[in-house]
């Protein structure tokens, strides 16, 4: 039924329908990719800050022992 409606529309509208379906179909995928990249970047920042904190704590403890 839906295919018959698509064929009855003018050819220019068919391109718009295809573009709309592509956008709707790709939007969740793009959102997942963006969130995955954000998570990886955040995880890397947290790991870097933990390493820096560990180094600073080591230096502070080393200074108190002296």
């Amino acid at each position: 039924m839906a295919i018959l409606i698509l064929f009855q529309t003018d050819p220019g509208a068919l391109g718009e329908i295809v573009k709309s379906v592509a956008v709707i179909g790709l939007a969740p995928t793009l959102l997942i990719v963006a969130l995955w990249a954000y998570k990886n970047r955040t995880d890397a920042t947290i790991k870097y800050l933990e390493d820096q904190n560990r180094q600073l704590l080591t230096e502070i403890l080393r200074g108190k022992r002296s």
Side-chain angles (χ1 to χ4, degrees):
M1 180 69 179
I3 294 173
L4 292 175
I5 294 171
L6 288 176
F7 285 130
Q8 291 174 355
T9 60
D10 72 70
L14 184 59
E16 290 300 316
I17 292 170
V18 170
K19 286 180 192 176
S20 299
V21 169
V23 168
I24 291 169
L26 294 177
T29 303
L30 292 175
L31 178 62
I32 290 169
V33 169
L35 290 173
W36 178 76
Y38 177 75
K39 179 194 172 297
N40 282 345
R41 178 71 180 141
T42 304
D43 289 348
T45 302
I46 290 170
K47 183 174 179 350
Y48 171 77
L49 292 173
E50 286 174 343
D51 291 342
Q52 292 296 313
N53 190 28
R54 192 173 300 114
Q55 290 174 3
L56 289 171
L57 186 57
T58 302
E59 291 298 321
I60 290 170
L61 292 176
R62 193 177 297 154
K64 285 186 176 182
R65 290 182 193 155
S66 299

